[in-house]
Amino acid sequence: MQPLVIAHRGASGYRPEHSRSAYELAIELGADAIEPDLVPTKDGVLVLRHENEVSGTTDVADRPEFRDRRTTKTIDGHRLTGWFTEDFTWDEVRTLRTRERLPELRRASRQHDGEDAVLRLEDLLAILDAAPRPVGLVAEVKHASAFAAAGFPMASLLDGALGAAGWRGDDRLTVESFEKGVLRQVAEQGTGGRLVYLQEARGAAADEVAAAGSAAPTYAAERTDAALARLATEFHGISVDLPTLMAGVDTRAVDDPGPVRSDVVDRAHAVDLAVYTWTLRPENRFLPAALRRGGDLAALGDWERWFTSVLRTGVDGVFADHADLAVRARSDVGGRA
């Protein structure tokens, strides 16, 4: 079965992330699924932003009526200053306009700043329902334990939004999180869909740290054979960063058309866990040094050799900012098989 191409925050290589135009373009470019990040508003509406601090992806800092909402918070151990979605009602958030998060790198996308409003989960579900072909949803629940402590039960909010839109138990649904606790809650309440546990290369899950402090298991410890077998009893898959997936791969030889061995893929598949990886990006800044071309970090490097080498690991899905390039690479790999 061919790996899925999951549009990371929509077509975020071409349009400001999580905007309507990014989602609609991703569908046009052939994405199999769309990945939104979910954070709450003050009145419990799930909005589509990578983080709850939104000064880097919206025009909130330029809005004088919201100047007094600027504050400092600690989220999962990180101290941040800015404007946070949970301090705004949905009626206030919906007035914000989206902006390119990487303006120096994604110069063309920057030309679309201000064109789109911030969306809710329900808005994306409507876009997917109107798509000319089935397109999946890979919904990432952000900072679940931190939001729960602040009075926002993310699993319940997700279940309510999906249920109201007729998506509860839909075959197109996947829910992912860097915390196992919220995934278990999603399962317990019968929301349905596939459950995927996101893992960083280092560190530990925020809910584990909250419960066990320094004794919390690290993400790396949750990639041992025994740990993967335990995860397989609860979840459909894991999702790891590219360095973890490609550990030990010689990037100077990725043009070899043969299979690429990935330790984590092989061991996860051995216990029937699917494996996903993030994030394929074609710019020099994000490529291995051997595949960069020229001195401009914003220019495209030898992305196709990198993308096809990742796909040849047997990974079950890839997150990509440029869905069309990932689809093209997948076709190249399929043509060699």
Side-chain angles (χ1 to χ4, degrees):
M1 185 173 179
Q2 285 193 319
L4 296 175
V5 170
I6 304 162
H8 185 239
R9 311 174 197 170
S12 56
Y14 301 110
R15 298 289 188 275
E17 64 187 34
H18 292 313
S19 62
R20 177 177 292 276
S21 57
Y23 294 138
E24 292 177 344
L25 180 58
I27 294 170
E28 293 176 24
L29 296 178
D32 300 304
I34 305 290
E35 183 253 3
D37 298 297
L38 307 179
V39 294
T41 64
K42 186 176 183 178
D43 46 349
V45 175
L46 294 179
V47 293
L48 310 180
R49 294 287 92 195
H50 175 54
E51 290 292 344
N52 52 325
E53 200 291 295
V54 294
S55 61
T57 60
T58 74
D59 63 349
V60 67
D62 297 334
R63 304 287 291 273
E65 67 270 32
F66 299 137
R67 191 169 297 141
D68 63 345
R69 309 287 179 90
R70 188 174 187 267
T71 189
T72 299
K73 299 187 180 189
T74 299
I75 307 293
D76 290 345
H78 299 284
R79 190 169 174 82
L80 301 171
T81 297
W83 288 261
F84 297 82
T85 57
E86 65 269 27
D87 296 330
F88 295 78
T89 66
W90 163 239
D91 281 342
E92 291 172 326
V93 170
R94 72 195 303 179
T95 69
L96 301 178
R97 312 302 290 186
T98 60
R99 284 185 174 175
E100 172 55 46
R101 185 175 62 89
L102 303 171
E104 298 307 314
L105 192 71
R106 303 270 168 81
R107 298 160 190 162
S109 176
R110 187 173 58 191
Q111 304 306 310
H112 298 278
D113 282 358
E115 292 180 355
D116 291 319
V118 174
L119 301 179
R120 306 165 296 176
L121 174 58
E122 292 92 325
D123 300 318
L124 175 55
L125 298 178
I127 291 170
L128 296 176
D129 284 338
R133 56 183 173 80
V135 178
L137 175 77
V138 181
E140 181 179 345
V141 179
K142 306 290 290 195
H143 309 302
S145 56
F147 285 134
F152 300 100
M154 294 295 284
S156 296
L157 294 175
L158 175 61
D159 189 66
L162 292 171
W167 270 73
R168 208 168 183 269
D170 197 288
D171 289 342
R172 295 170 290 175
L173 175 64
T174 298
V175 180
E176 63 178 9
S177 178
F178 284 102
E179 302 178 41
K180 296 192 294 292
V182 70
L183 296 177
R184 290 169 177 147
Q185 291 167 11
V186 169
E188 289 165 1
Q189 66 193 12
T191 303
R194 290 164 294 279
L195 301 177
V196 174
Y197 181 38
L198 285 157
Q199 296 183 330
E200 298 273 11
R202 291 174 293 277
D207 56 342
E208 299 279 8
V209 172
S214 61
T218 64
Y219 286 120
E222 294 187 295
R223 288 191 290 272
T224 66
D225 289 346
L228 290 173
R230 288 192 296 271
L231 292 175
T233 66
E234 296 187 89
F235 308 123
H236 170 77
I238 60 171
S239 186
V240 300
D241 62 310
L242 281 169
T244 296
L245 183 89
M246 301 296 280
V249 174
D250 184 353
T251 57
R252 294 169 298 179
V254 295
D255 53 348
D256 181 342
V260 174
R261 305 311 308 180
S262 168
D263 175 70
V264 70
V265 169
D266 292 344
R267 292 189 299 106
H269 281 177
V271 295
D272 294 324
L273 271 177
V275 181
Y276 305 88
T277 193
W278 37 276
T279 303
L280 291 179
R281 293 170 168 135
E283 294 97 345
N284 280 323
R285 175 177 168 183
F286 304 112
L287 294 176
L291 300 180
R292 295 176 183 174
R293 298 293 177 262
D296 184 359
L297 291 180
L300 302 192
D302 198 349
W303 62 268
E304 193 160 9
R305 284 205 295 165
W306 180 235
F307 284 23
T308 55
S309 69
V310 170
L311 290 163
R312 293 202 314 276
T313 64
V315 71
D316 298 280
V318 295
F319 292 79
D321 286 0
H322 303 69
D324 55 330
L325 302 187
V327 169
R328 188 192 312 176
R330 181 176 63 184
S331 178
D332 290 345
V333 170
R336 296 176 187 172

